[in-house]
Amino acid sequence: NPYVISHWVHLVRLSEIVNGISEPMDSVQGAPYASNVVAKDIFFSTYKNNSNKVYQCYFVVTDNITIPEGVHYMPIGGAQVNVTDANNENVTLAYFGGNFTGRYDGQTAKINLGNSLKEAHALDYVGLFGVVKGRIINGTTYWATIDNVLVSATEINGNNYVGSLIAKAEQYVYIDNTATPYQNTAKVTGSSHVGGVVGYVGLGTQMFGTYINKGTVMATGQYAGGIIGRLMAGAGRQGTGTGANNYYFGEPNNDKTLSLENQGIIDATDCNYVGGIIGGLTANEGEYSGVTTVLTVNYVRNTASVWGGNYVGGWFGEVGTNIAVHVINGVVDTFEHVVAKGIFALQTQTLVIY
């Protein structure tokens, strides 16, 4: 049975436990708490217990939730914590919590963060979710799933990895908002890997649904986009057989497609790799340097100005080696400005518009 989230206290409690600030309850879904598993990384997560069984915790949001004014919300996974030191001075402790590795169904209920993330400038991994990460256990992939979530906020401020929905979808994350479009209206500000929706998309992560950014996105480092800050090669579904070195992100699946639209100004004059939709489509190094990633977008549109440093584009700031982009229904608007202090979009592969 799923764990029901129907009140802001439940959401804050979930965040505290995933980040290791509070101890877990004795059991979840009938899965006993295994004492040899680190609390911050198992509760509300995927873990393997002593009976060689894998439990994946499941959460369902049943009501609209508003974080009250004055409550400083801690992102679910990967957060840093403000503490008081021996001199009774407030300092930031570089404490990185556990990752969210479970299943979360928002059921289109709206999470209103208000100003609860407005003062998180110095923190990494800032959003409703901080770090989300699926796992492979005994050869089986256990996806961390984020379904049908709606988020509203006034401002979301962070350092590295910032997005209104997910700051960092590190690996094997399944994001699905096909039930209703996801719209960000918050001003999202950070240094590097900053997106109106997701800051960073990594290995094996899949994404379906319609995502619209209406908020201003501001960044000063590298990789900023209206929807996604940076998407790495190796994101998506891995091919099979002779196509095992190919990964497919946004590929239509059982009538599920991916649509991306930006209506918010991208104000990142001192940032490199800046795009109205995605800041960087980046080829991975090392193990995944030889793979080809195919990004398929059913609909893409940017209607807002894009300001950046080097590598700036109306849709994509960077399209790296071994990245192929297929746009089925693309609308190329005449934006008021696409301005680069240095070099315009870096594109080493062909952009195909059907």
Side-chain angles (χ1 to χ4, degrees):
N1 296 321
Y3 183 88
V4 174
I5 297 176
S6 60
H7 191 277
W8 71 267
V9 172
H10 300 159
L11 196 65
V12 171
R13 172 72 169 154
L14 165 59
S15 172
E16 289 176 347
I17 295 174
V18 172
N19 287 302
I21 308 305
S22 299
E23 288 299 313
M25 296 187 300
D26 292 335
S27 65
V28 181
Q29 289 184 218
Y33 168 54
S35 59
N36 63 331
V37 183
V38 179
K40 69 179 182 182
D41 207 29
I42 64 101
F43 190 66
F44 300 159
S45 296
T46 303
Y47 71 96
K48 181 178 177 182
N49 75 351
N50 295 331
S51 300
N52 206 34
K53 294 180 180 179
V54 174
Y55 296 92
Q56 188 168 35
C57 299
Y58 178 32
F59 307 90
V60 173
V61 181
T62 59
D63 297 281
N64 294 334
I65 294 173
T66 297
I67 303 297
E69 192 70 27
V71 173
H72 294 286
Y73 174 75
M74 184 186 302
I76 302 170
Q80 296 169 306
V81 184
N82 287 322
V83 299
T84 301
D85 66 8
N87 296 320
N88 203 33
E89 296 179 355
N90 195 36
V91 298
T92 298
L93 177 67
Y95 176 93
F96 294 89
N99 307 312
F100 182 82
T101 62
R103 299 166 58 201
Y104 183 100
D105 187 353
Q107 294 197 126
T108 71
K110 180 171 286 187
I111 306 297
N112 182 1
L113 297 175
N115 287 315
S116 62
L117 290 175
K118 184 177 179 179
E119 305 300 329
H121 304 82
L123 305 185
D124 294 335
Y125 312 115
V126 176
L128 176 66
F129 288 88
V131 181
V132 182
K133 183 178 180 179
R135 296 179 178 177
I136 297 178
I137 302 176
N138 293 339
T140 299
T141 301
Y142 293 87
W143 300 87
T145 62
I146 309 296
D147 295 335
N148 303 315
V149 180
L150 299 179
V151 178
S152 66
T154 306
E155 290 187 38
I156 297 176
N157 297 318
N159 186 30
N160 298 312
Y161 302 100
V162 185
S164 63
L165 178 59
I166 302 173
K168 186 178 185 180
E170 185 167 335
Q171 66 174 26
Y172 304 115
V173 182
Y174 191 93
I175 308 167
D176 187 350
N177 251 66
T178 54
T180 189
Y182 180 96
Q183 295 191 46
N184 173 59
T185 58
K187 177 182 177 181
V188 179
T189 302
S191 178
S192 296
H193 301 93
V194 182
V197 179
V198 182
Y200 174 99
V201 173
L203 175 66
T205 294
Q206 300 189 49
M207 191 171 181
F208 296 101
T210 297
Y211 299 85
I212 302 169
N213 176 58
K214 297 182 178 181
T216 298
V217 174
M218 303 181 69
T220 57
Q222 296 190 99
Y223 301 105
I227 306 299
I228 298 171
R230 189 182 193 186
L231 187 148
M232 301 297 293
R237 176 190 65 82
Q238 185 175 8
T240 58
T242 57
N245 280 335
N246 293 341
Y247 285 77
Y248 301 90
F249 185 84
E251 176 190 45
N253 180 20
N254 295 326
D255 297 325
K256 293 183 178 182
T257 59
L258 178 64
S259 296
L260 308 174
E261 181 174 352
N262 178 60
Q263 302 173 19
I265 293 173
I266 312 301
D267 185 0
T269 305
D270 295 322
C271 182
N272 296 327
Y273 309 109
V274 181
I277 303 298
I278 301 175
L281 299 166
T282 306
N284 263 328
E285 300 176 352
E287 182 180 358
Y288 297 97
S289 60
V291 307
T292 295
T293 295
V294 180
L295 167 65
T296 301
V297 185
N298 183 62
Y299 175 83
V300 62
R301 186 177 190 182
N302 175 40
T303 60
S305 300
V306 181
W307 304 76
N310 290 316
Y311 313 121
V312 184
W315 283 356
F316 313 117
E318 172 194 26
V319 180
T321 304
N322 294 335
I323 304 285
V325 181
H326 294 173
V327 177
I328 298 172
N329 296 296
V331 179
V332 182
D333 288 286
T334 304
F335 333 119
E336 182 181 355
H337 294 291
V338 177
V339 179
K341 288 176 65 176
I343 306 168
F344 279 95
L346 173 65
Q347 182 172 311
T348 58
Q349 291 294 93
T350 302
L351 175 67
V352 179
I353 302 177
Y354 291 97

